[in-house]
Amino acid sequence: MKQGVKDVRANAKTGALKSSLFKGISILLPFVLLVLVEGILRVAGYGYNYDLFVPYAADDQFLVFNPHASRKYFVDADLAPTGNAEIFKKEKDPNTLRIFVLGESTTIGYPYFHNASFHRLIQYRLMNTFPNKKIEIINLSLTAVNSYTVLGFSRELPKYKPDAVLIYTGHNEYYGTLGVASTQRAGSQRWLINLTLRLREYKVMQWLTSVYSKLTQGKTRDAGTRMRLMVGQENIVFGSDLYYAGVEQFTANLENTLSLLNQENIPVFISTLVSNERGMRPFMNTAIDTVKYASFLANYKRALRELPQDSTAAYALFKRANEQYPQHARCNFYLGELAFRAGDTLASKAYFRAAVDFDALRFRAPSAMNEVIARLCRQ
């Protein structure tokens, strides 16, 4: 009897052990397969190295900006830009002043590439100011990116011993890759985007991204420039959830960037943002309630009719319309132009700035971005 009970208990333990073993194998099997596929892809040489710098082909004593580094940040890697190829020595010479530049298309010099871009002008100035030093200014800026690449690239900079980092970023926060209104989004949560970027270091993830890109691309590929193809949602209303999502994304990424560079005792020079205001009409007005704001529309249309022949009357009508609905981008723009003609530069500046803030197609950074930059610099 006792022996039978022992046998039953032993069989139960064995059964439980087998069940646990099968469950463990079932759980581990997908991970084992992923590791196996990852190994096969690496051996086969599939995918890209996303390191920020790679050895310079003509002389491996030098490094150069990796032309594939940006692919990590794009859902459709065919839209990823390559950037400048400015070489610098692997081992930094004692007498070298090394500065890295981070940013977007303005920062890379678009449309004035090569010797007319601002970082080259800085280099020439420093060469004249410090003739006994070797000046290295390496521009890591790219078109169609935003603060995600600034943060990602800055993580790798400390090991290259920069003497300073220059940052000019913010205009592409909505439509640059991974932006809140971009076609190249990878989710709406920063933690998810950051996790995706880390996973893209693996070849399996690169393969899955490539498959997804091939399945989804093609509808608008020939519709325009790279930045035009990046626009996912055009109408971003001032003060909307999407508007604030872009500001919050910019704040968090820039704060993390400055924090990690500060921890490494690397000086950072960061500029507030500028854009054309006078002479450049807003791209898009926010749609308004034509019933609720009928008086605004009547005064605005009258002002437009008066504008060619009587600027004084037009100014009064635009002001009246603006009092009735102050968030119309082009009404503010015309007020800025007319105030400038009248010599009221302070009012003109305020109206032009409002025109940019209320421009629903956000190719120019709203003033909130400069407020973020100023606050973080004070910290």
Side-chain angles (χ1 to χ4, degrees), residues 291-365:
V291 176
K292 184 177 179 181
Y293 297 107
S295 297
F296 161 81
L297 289 171
N299 285 313
Y300 179 69
K301 288 177 181 178
R302 284 180 60 199
L304 289 176
R305 288 195 296 270
E306 292 288 347
L307 187 59
Q309 58 262 3
D310 189 345
S311 60
T312 302
Y315 190 41
L317 288 166
F318 279 129
K319 285 190 75 171
R320 194 179 307 164
N322 195 55
E323 289 167 2
Q324 294 160 340
Y325 181 73
Q327 294 191 8
H328 193 272
R330 288 193 179 174
C331 184
N332 277 282
F333 171 77
Y334 289 125
L335 282 168
E337 289 282 359
L338 292 170
F340 186 85
R341 289 186 205 172
D344 190 348
T345 54
L346 289 178
S348 177
K349 180 179 179 181
Y351 285 130
F352 282 137
R353 190 65 259 177
V356 173
D357 283 345
F358 298 136
D359 190 346
L361 185 59
R362 300 201 173 272
F363 283 122
R364 296 177 291 177

Coordinates of all heavy atoms in Angstrom, one line a residue, residues 291-365:
V291 N -20.0 79.8 -39.2 CA -21.2 80.3 -38.6 C -20.8 81.1 -37.4 O -21.1 82.3 -37.2 CB -22.2 79.3 -38.2 CG1 -23.4 79.9 -37.5 CG2 -22.6 78.5 -39.5
K292 N -19.9 80.5 -36.5 CA -19.5 81.2 -35.3 C -18.7 82.4 -35.6 O -18.8 83.4 -34.8 CB -18.7 80.2 -34.4 CG -18.3 80.7 -33.1 CD -17.6 79.6 -32.3 CE -17.2 80.2 -30.9 NZ -16.5 79.1 -30.1
Y293 N -17.8 82.3 -36.6 CA -16.9 83.5 -36.9 C -17.3 84.1 -38.2 O -16.4 84.5 -39.0 CB -15.5 82.9 -36.9 CG -15.0 82.4 -35.6 CD1 -14.9 81.0 -35.4 CD2 -14.8 83.3 -34.5 CE1 -14.5 80.5 -34.2 CE2 -14.4 82.8 -33.3 CZ -14.2 81.4 -33.1 OH -13.8 80.9 -31.9
A294 N -18.6 84.3 -38.5 CA -19.0 84.9 -39.7 C -18.5 86.4 -39.8 O -18.2 86.9 -40.9 CB -20.6 84.9 -39.8
S295 N -18.5 87.1 -38.7 CA -18.1 88.5 -38.7 C -16.6 88.6 -39.0 O -16.1 89.5 -39.7 CB -18.3 89.1 -37.3 OG -19.7 89.2 -37.0
F296 N -15.8 87.6 -38.5 CA -14.4 87.6 -38.8 C -14.2 87.4 -40.3 O -13.4 88.2 -40.9 CB -13.7 86.4 -38.1 CG -12.4 86.1 -38.7 CD1 -11.2 86.8 -38.4 CD2 -12.3 85.0 -39.7 CE1 -10.0 86.5 -39.0 CE2 -11.1 84.7 -40.3 CZ -9.9 85.5 -40.0
L297 N -14.9 86.5 -40.9 CA -14.8 86.2 -42.4 C -15.2 87.4 -43.2 O -14.5 87.8 -44.2 CB -15.6 85.0 -42.8 CG -15.1 83.7 -42.2 CD1 -16.1 82.6 -42.5 CD2 -13.7 83.3 -42.9
A298 N -16.2 88.1 -42.8 CA -16.7 89.3 -43.5 C -15.6 90.4 -43.5 O -15.3 91.0 -44.5 CB -18.0 89.8 -42.9
N299 N -15.1 90.7 -42.3 CA -14.0 91.7 -42.2 C -12.7 91.3 -42.9 O -12.1 92.2 -43.5 CB -13.8 92.0 -40.7 CG -14.9 92.8 -40.1 OD1 -15.3 93.8 -40.6 ND2 -15.3 92.4 -38.9
Y300 N -12.4 90.0 -42.8 CA -11.1 89.5 -43.4 C -11.2 89.7 -44.9 O -10.3 90.1 -45.6 CB -10.9 88.1 -43.0 CG -9.7 87.5 -43.6 CD1 -8.4 87.9 -43.2 CD2 -9.8 86.5 -44.6 CE1 -7.3 87.3 -43.8 CE2 -8.7 85.9 -45.1 CZ -7.4 86.3 -44.7 OH -6.3 85.7 -45.3
K301 N -12.4 89.3 -45.5 CA -12.5 89.4 -47.0 C -12.6 90.8 -47.4 O -12.0 91.2 -48.5 CB -13.8 88.7 -47.4 CG -13.7 87.1 -47.3 CD -15.0 86.5 -47.6 CE -14.9 84.9 -47.5 NZ -16.2 84.3 -47.7
R302 N -13.2 91.7 -46.6 CA -13.2 93.1 -47.0 C -11.8 93.7 -46.9 O -11.4 94.5 -47.8 CB -14.1 93.9 -46.0 CG -15.6 93.8 -46.2 CD -16.4 94.5 -45.2 NE -16.0 96.0 -45.3 CZ -16.3 96.8 -44.3 NH1 -16.8 96.4 -43.2 NH2 -16.0 98.1 -44.5
A303 N -11.0 93.3 -45.9 CA -9.6 93.7 -45.8 C -8.8 93.3 -47.0 O -8.0 94.1 -47.5 CB -9.0 93.2 -44.5
L304 N -9.0 92.1 -47.5 CA -8.2 91.6 -48.6 C -8.6 92.4 -49.9 O -7.7 92.7 -50.7 CB -8.6 90.1 -48.9 CG -8.0 89.1 -47.9 CD1 -8.5 87.7 -48.3 CD2 -6.5 89.1 -47.9
R305 N -9.8 92.8 -50.0 CA -10.2 93.7 -51.1 C -9.6 95.1 -51.1 O -9.3 95.7 -52.1 CB -11.8 93.8 -51.2 CG -12.4 92.5 -51.7 CD -13.9 92.7 -52.1 NE -14.7 93.2 -50.9 CZ -15.4 92.3 -50.1 NH1 -15.3 91.0 -50.3 NH2 -16.1 92.8 -49.2
E306 N -9.5 95.6 -49.8 CA -9.0 96.9 -49.6 C -7.4 97.0 -49.7 O -6.9 98.0 -50.0 CB -9.4 97.5 -48.2 CG -10.8 97.8 -48.1 CD -11.3 99.0 -48.8 OE1 -10.4 99.8 -49.3 OE2 -12.5 99.2 -49.0
L307 N -6.8 95.9 -49.5 CA -5.3 95.8 -49.4 C -4.6 96.4 -50.6 O -3.7 97.2 -50.4 CB -4.9 94.4 -49.2 CG -3.4 94.1 -48.9 CD1 -3.0 94.9 -47.6 CD2 -3.1 92.6 -48.7
P308 N -5.0 96.1 -51.8 CA -4.2 96.7 -53.0 C -4.3 98.2 -53.1 O -3.3 98.8 -53.6 CB -4.9 96.0 -54.2 CG -5.6 94.8 -53.7 CD -6.1 95.2 -52.3
Q309 N -5.4 98.8 -52.7 CA -5.5 100.3 -52.9 C -5.5 101.1 -51.6 O -5.2 102.3 -51.7 CB -6.8 100.6 -53.7 CG -8.1 100.1 -53.0 CD -8.6 98.8 -53.6 OE1 -7.9 98.2 -54.4 NE2 -9.7 98.4 -53.1
D310 N -5.9 100.6 -50.5 CA -6.0 101.4 -49.2 C -5.5 100.6 -48.1 O -6.2 99.9 -47.4 CB -7.4 101.9 -49.0 CG -7.6 102.9 -47.9 OD1 -6.6 103.1 -47.1 OD2 -8.6 103.5 -47.8
S311 N -4.2 100.7 -47.8 CA -3.6 99.9 -46.7 C -4.1 100.3 -45.3 O -4.1 99.5 -44.4 CB -2.0 100.0 -46.8 OG -1.6 101.4 -46.6
T312 N -4.4 101.6 -45.2 CA -4.9 102.1 -43.9 C -6.2 101.4 -43.5 O -6.5 100.9 -42.4 CB -5.0 103.6 -43.8 OG1 -3.8 104.2 -44.1 CG2 -5.5 104.1 -42.5
A313 N -7.1 101.4 -44.5 CA -8.4 100.8 -44.3 C -8.3 99.3 -44.1 O -9.0 98.6 -43.3 CB -9.4 101.1 -45.5
A314 N -7.4 98.7 -44.9 CA -7.1 97.2 -44.8 C -6.6 96.9 -43.4 O -7.0 95.9 -42.8 CB -6.2 96.8 -45.9
Y315 N -5.7 97.7 -42.9 CA -5.1 97.5 -41.6 C -6.2 97.5 -40.5 O -6.3 96.6 -39.6 CB -4.1 98.5 -41.3 CG -3.2 98.3 -40.0 CD1 -2.8 97.0 -39.7 CD2 -2.8 99.3 -39.2 CE1 -2.0 96.7 -38.6 CE2 -2.0 99.1 -38.1 CZ -1.6 97.8 -37.8 OH -0.8 97.6 -36.7
A316 N -7.1 98.5 -40.6 CA -8.2 98.6 -39.6 C -9.1 97.4 -39.7 O -9.5 96.8 -38.6 CB -9.0 99.9 -39.8
L317 N -9.4 96.9 -40.9 CA -10.3 95.7 -41.0 C -9.6 94.5 -40.6 O -10.3 93.6 -39.9 CB -10.7 95.6 -42.5 CG -11.7 96.7 -43.0 CD1 -11.8 96.7 -44.5 CD2 -13.1 96.4 -42.4
F318 N -8.3 94.3 -40.9 CA -7.6 93.1 -40.4 C -7.6 93.1 -38.9 O -7.7 92.0 -38.2 CB -6.2 93.1 -41.0 CG -6.1 92.6 -42.4 CD1 -5.4 93.3 -43.3 CD2 -6.6 91.3 -42.7 CE1 -5.3 92.8 -44.6 CE2 -6.5 90.8 -44.0 CZ -5.8 91.6 -45.0
K319 N -7.3 94.3 -38.2 CA -7.3 94.3 -36.8 C -8.6 94.0 -36.2 O -8.7 93.2 -35.2 CB -6.9 95.7 -36.3 CG -5.4 96.0 -36.5 CD -5.0 97.3 -35.8 CE -4.9 97.2 -34.3 NZ -4.3 98.3 -33.7
R320 N -9.7 94.5 -36.8 CA -11.0 94.1 -36.3 C -11.3 92.6 -36.4 O -11.8 92.0 -35.5 CB -12.1 94.9 -37.1 CG -13.5 94.9 -36.5 CD -14.5 95.7 -37.3 NE -14.0 97.0 -37.6 CZ -14.4 97.8 -38.5 NH1 -15.4 97.4 -39.3 NH2 -13.9 99.1 -38.7
A321 N -10.9 92.0 -37.6 CA -11.1 90.6 -37.8 C -10.2 89.8 -36.8 O -10.7 88.8 -36.2 CB -10.6 90.2 -39.2
N322 N -9.0 90.3 -36.5 CA -8.1 89.6 -35.6 C -8.7 89.6 -34.1 O -8.5 88.7 -33.4 CB -6.7 90.2 -35.6 CG -5.7 89.3 -35.0 OD1 -5.5 88.2 -35.3 ND2 -5.0 89.9 -34.0
E323 N -9.4 90.7 -33.8 CA -10.0 90.7 -32.5 C -11.1 89.7 -32.3 O -11.4 89.2 -31.3 CB -10.6 92.1 -32.2 CG -9.5 93.2 -32.0 CD -10.0 94.6 -32.1 OE1 -11.3 94.8 -32.3 OE2 -9.2 95.6 -31.9
Q324 N -11.8 89.4 -33.5 CA -12.9 88.5 -33.5 C -12.4 87.0 -33.5 O -13.1 86.1 -33.0 CB -13.8 88.8 -34.6 CG -14.5 90.1 -34.5 CD -15.0 90.6 -35.8 OE1 -14.5 90.2 -36.9 NE2 -16.0 91.6 -35.8
Y325 N -11.3 86.8 -34.1 CA -10.7 85.5 -34.2 C -9.2 85.6 -34.4 O -8.6 85.8 -35.5 CB -11.2 84.7 -35.4 CG -10.7 83.3 -35.5 CD1 -11.0 82.3 -34.6 CD2 -9.8 82.9 -36.5 CE1 -10.5 81.0 -34.7 CE2 -9.2 81.7 -36.6 CZ -9.6 80.7 -35.7 OH -9.1 79.4 -35.8
P326 N -8.4 85.6 -33.2 CA -7.0 85.9 -33.3 C -6.0 84.8 -33.8 O -4.8 85.0 -33.9 CB -6.7 86.2 -31.8 CG -7.7 85.4 -31.0 CD -8.9 85.3 -31.9
Q327 N -6.6 83.6 -34.1 CA -5.7 82.5 -34.5 C -5.7 82.2 -36.0 O -5.3 81.1 -36.4 CB -6.1 81.2 -33.7 CG -5.9 81.3 -32.2 CD -6.1 80.0 -31.5 OE1 -6.2 78.9 -32.1 NE2 -6.1 80.0 -30.2
H328 N -6.0 83.2 -36.8 CA -5.9 83.0 -38.2 C -4.5 83.4 -38.7 O -4.1 84.6 -38.6 CB -7.0 83.9 -38.9 CG -7.2 83.5 -40.3 ND1 -6.5 84.1 -41.4 CD2 -8.1 82.7 -40.9 CE1 -6.9 83.6 -42.5 NE2 -7.9 82.8 -42.3
A329 N -3.8 82.5 -39.2 CA -2.4 82.7 -39.5 C -2.2 83.8 -40.5 O -1.4 84.7 -40.3 CB -1.8 81.4 -40.1
R330 N -2.9 83.8 -41.6 CA -2.7 84.8 -42.7 C -3.2 86.2 -42.3 O -2.6 87.2 -42.7 CB -3.3 84.4 -44.0 CG -2.5 83.2 -44.6 CD -2.8 82.9 -46.0 NE -2.0 81.8 -46.5 CZ -2.1 81.2 -47.7 NH1 -3.1 81.7 -48.5 NH2 -1.4 80.2 -48.1
C331 N -4.2 86.3 -41.4 CA -4.7 87.6 -41.0 C -3.5 88.2 -40.1 O -3.2 89.4 -40.3 CB -5.9 87.4 -40.1 SG -6.6 89.0 -39.5
N332 N -2.9 87.4 -39.3 CA -1.7 87.9 -38.5 C -0.6 88.3 -39.4 O 0.1 89.3 -39.2 CB -1.3 86.9 -37.5 CG -2.1 86.9 -36.2 OD1 -1.9 87.7 -35.4 ND2 -3.0 86.0 -36.1
F333 N -0.4 87.5 -40.5 CA 0.7 87.8 -41.4 C 0.5 89.2 -42.1 O 1.4 90.0 -42.2 CB 0.8 86.7 -42.5 CG 1.7 87.0 -43.6 CD1 3.1 86.9 -43.4 CD2 1.2 87.5 -44.8 CE1 4.0 87.3 -44.5 CE2 2.1 87.8 -45.9 CZ 3.5 87.7 -45.7
Y334 N -0.7 89.4 -42.6 CA -1.0 90.7 -43.2 C -0.9 91.9 -42.3 O -0.4 93.0 -42.6 CB -2.4 90.7 -43.9 CG -2.5 89.8 -45.1 CD1 -3.5 88.8 -45.2 CD2 -1.6 90.0 -46.2 CE1 -3.6 88.0 -46.3 CE2 -1.7 89.1 -47.3 CZ -2.7 88.1 -47.3 OH -2.8 87.3 -48.4
L335 N -1.3 91.6 -41.0 CA -1.2 92.7 -40.0 C 0.3 93.0 -39.8 O 0.7 94.1 -39.6 CB -1.8 92.2 -38.7 CG -3.3 92.4 -38.6 CD1 -3.9 91.6 -37.4 CD2 -3.7 93.8 -38.6
G336 N 1.1 91.9 -39.8 CA 2.6 92.1 -39.6 C 3.2 92.9 -40.8 O 4.0 93.8 -40.5
E337 N 2.8 92.6 -42.0 CA 3.3 93.4 -43.2 C 2.9 94.8 -43.1 O 3.7 95.7 -43.3 CB 2.7 92.7 -44.4 CG 3.3 91.4 -44.8 CD 4.7 91.5 -45.4 OE1 5.2 92.6 -45.6 OE2 5.3 90.4 -45.7
L338 N 1.6 95.1 -42.7 CA 1.1 96.5 -42.7 C 1.7 97.3 -41.5 O 2.0 98.5 -41.7 CB -0.4 96.5 -42.6 CG -1.1 95.9 -43.9 CD1 -2.6 95.7 -43.7 CD2 -0.9 96.9 -45.1
A339 N 1.9 96.6 -40.4 CA 2.5 97.3 -39.3 C 4.0 97.6 -39.6 O 4.5 98.7 -39.2 CB 2.5 96.4 -38.0
F340 N 4.6 96.7 -40.3 CA 6.0 97.0 -40.7 C 6.1 98.2 -41.7 O 6.9 99.1 -41.5 CB 6.6 95.8 -41.4 CG 8.1 95.9 -41.7 CD1 9.0 95.6 -40.8 CD2 8.5 96.3 -43.0 CE1 10.4 95.8 -41.1 CE2 9.8 96.5 -43.3 CZ 10.8 96.2 -42.3
R341 N 5.2 98.3 -42.6 CA 5.1 99.4 -43.5 C 4.9 100.7 -42.8 O 5.4 101.8 -43.2 CB 4.0 99.2 -44.6 CG 4.2 98.2 -45.6 CD 3.1 98.2 -46.6 NE 2.9 96.9 -47.3 CZ 1.9 96.7 -48.1 NH1 1.0 97.6 -48.3 NH2 1.8 95.5 -48.7
A342 N 4.1 100.6 -41.7 CA 3.8 101.8 -40.9 C 4.9 102.2 -39.9 O 4.8 103.2 -39.2 CB 2.5 101.6 -40.1
G343 N 6.0 101.4 -39.9 CA 7.1 101.7 -39.0 C 6.9 101.1 -37.6 O 7.8 101.4 -36.7
D344 N 5.9 100.4 -37.3 CA 5.7 99.8 -36.0 C 6.3 98.4 -35.9 O 5.6 97.4 -36.1 CB 4.2 99.7 -35.7 CG 3.9 99.4 -34.2 OD1 4.8 99.0 -33.5 OD2 2.7 99.5 -33.8
T345 N 7.6 98.4 -35.7 CA 8.3 97.1 -35.8 C 8.0 96.2 -34.7 O 8.1 94.9 -34.9 CB 9.9 97.4 -35.8 OG1 10.2 98.2 -34.7 CG2 10.3 98.1 -37.1
L346 N 7.7 96.7 -33.5 CA 7.4 95.8 -32.4 C 6.1 95.1 -32.6 O 6.0 93.8 -32.4 CB 7.3 96.6 -31.1 CG 8.6 97.1 -30.5 CD1 8.3 98.0 -29.2 CD2 9.5 96.0 -30.2
A347 N 5.1 95.8 -33.1 CA 3.8 95.1 -33.4 C 4.0 94.2 -34.6 O 3.4 93.1 -34.6 CB 2.7 96.2 -33.8
S348 N 4.8 94.6 -35.6 CA 5.0 93.7 -36.7 C 5.7 92.4 -36.3 O 5.2 91.3 -36.8 CB 6.0 94.5 -37.7 OG 6.3 93.7 -38.8
K349 N 6.6 92.5 -35.4 CA 7.3 91.3 -35.0 C 6.3 90.3 -34.3 O 6.3 89.1 -34.5 CB 8.4 91.6 -34.0 CG 9.2 90.4 -33.5 CD 10.3 90.9 -32.6 CE 11.1 89.7 -32.0 NZ 12.2 90.1 -31.1
A350 N 5.4 90.9 -33.4 CA 4.5 90.1 -32.7 C 3.5 89.4 -33.7 O 3.1 88.2 -33.5 CB 3.7 90.9 -31.7
Y351 N 3.0 90.2 -34.7 CA 2.1 89.6 -35.6 C 2.8 88.5 -36.5 O 2.2 87.4 -36.7 CB 1.5 90.7 -36.6 CG 0.5 91.6 -35.9 CD1 0.6 93.0 -36.0 CD2 -0.6 91.1 -35.3 CE1 -0.3 93.8 -35.4 CE2 -1.5 91.9 -34.7 CZ -1.4 93.3 -34.8 OH -2.3 94.1 -34.2
F352 N 4.0 88.7 -36.9 CA 4.7 87.7 -37.7 C 4.9 86.4 -36.9 O 4.8 85.3 -37.4 CB 6.0 88.2 -38.2 CG 5.9 89.2 -39.4 CD1 6.7 90.3 -39.5 CD2 5.1 88.9 -40.5 CE1 6.6 91.2 -40.6 CE2 5.0 89.7 -41.6 CZ 5.7 90.9 -41.6
R353 N 5.3 86.6 -35.6 CA 5.5 85.4 -34.8 C 4.2 84.7 -34.6 O 4.2 83.4 -34.6 CB 6.0 85.9 -33.4 CG 6.5 84.8 -32.5 CD 7.8 84.1 -33.1 NE 7.4 82.8 -33.7 CZ 8.3 82.1 -34.3 NH1 9.5 82.4 -34.5 NH2 7.9 80.9 -34.8
A354 N 3.1 85.4 -34.4 CA 1.8 84.7 -34.3 C 1.4 84.0 -35.6 O 0.8 82.9 -35.5 CB 0.7 85.7 -33.9
A355 N 1.8 84.6 -36.7 CA 1.5 83.9 -38.0 C 2.2 82.6 -38.1 O 1.6 81.6 -38.6 CB 1.9 84.8 -39.2
V356 N 3.4 82.5 -37.6 CA 4.1 81.2 -37.6 C 3.5 80.3 -36.6 O 3.3 79.1 -36.9 CB 5.6 81.5 -37.2 CG1 6.3 80.1 -37.1 CG2 6.3 82.3 -38.3
D357 N 3.2 80.7 -35.4 CA 2.6 79.9 -34.4 C 1.3 79.3 -34.9 O 1.0 78.1 -34.6 CB 2.4 80.6 -33.1 CG 3.6 80.8 -32.3 OD1 4.6 80.1 -32.6 OD2 3.6 81.7 -31.4
F358 N 0.5 80.0 -35.6 CA -0.9 79.6 -36.0 C -0.9 78.9 -37.4 O -1.9 78.4 -37.9 CB -1.9 80.7 -36.0 CG -2.1 81.3 -34.7 CD1 -2.1 82.7 -34.5 CD2 -2.2 80.5 -33.5 CE1 -2.3 83.3 -33.3 CE2 -2.4 81.1 -32.3 CZ -2.4 82.5 -32.1
D359 N 0.3 78.8 -38.0 CA 0.4 78.1 -39.3 C 0.2 76.6 -39.1 O 1.0 76.0 -38.4 CB 1.8 78.4 -39.9 CG 1.9 77.9 -41.4 OD1 1.1 77.2 -41.8 OD2 2.9 78.3 -42.0
A360 N -0.8 76.1 -39.6 CA -1.2 74.7 -39.3 C -0.3 73.7 -40.0 O -0.2 72.5 -39.6 CB -2.6 74.4 -39.7
L361 N 0.4 74.0 -41.1 CA 1.4 73.2 -41.7 C 2.8 73.5 -41.2 O 3.4 74.5 -41.5 CB 1.4 73.4 -43.3 CG 2.3 72.4 -44.1 CD1 1.9 71.0 -43.9 CD2 2.2 72.8 -45.6
R362 N 3.3 72.7 -40.3 CA 4.3 73.0 -39.3 C 5.7 72.7 -39.9 O 6.4 71.8 -39.3 CB 4.1 72.5 -38.0 CG 2.8 73.0 -37.4 CD 2.6 72.9 -35.9 NE 1.4 73.6 -35.6 CZ 1.3 74.9 -35.3 NH1 2.3 75.7 -35.4 NH2 0.1 75.5 -35.0
F363 N 6.1 73.4 -40.9 CA 7.5 73.3 -41.4 C 8.4 74.3 -40.7 O 9.6 74.3 -40.9 CB 7.6 73.6 -42.9 CG 7.1 72.4 -43.8 CD1 6.1 72.5 -44.7 CD2 7.8 71.2 -43.6 CE1 5.7 71.4 -45.4 CE2 7.4 70.1 -44.4 CZ 6.3 70.2 -45.3
R364 N 7.8 75.3 -40.0 CA 8.6 76.2 -39.2 C 8.3 76.0 -37.7 O 7.1 75.8 -37.3 CB 8.3 77.6 -39.6 CG 8.7 78.0 -41.0 CD 8.3 79.4 -41.3 NE 6.9 79.6 -41.5 CZ 6.3 80.7 -41.7 NH1 7.0 81.8 -41.9 NH2 5.0 80.8 -41.8
A365 N 9.3 76.0 -36.8 CA 9.1 75.7 -35.4 C 8.2 76.8 -34.8 O 8.5 78.0 -35.0 CB 10.4 75.6 -34.7

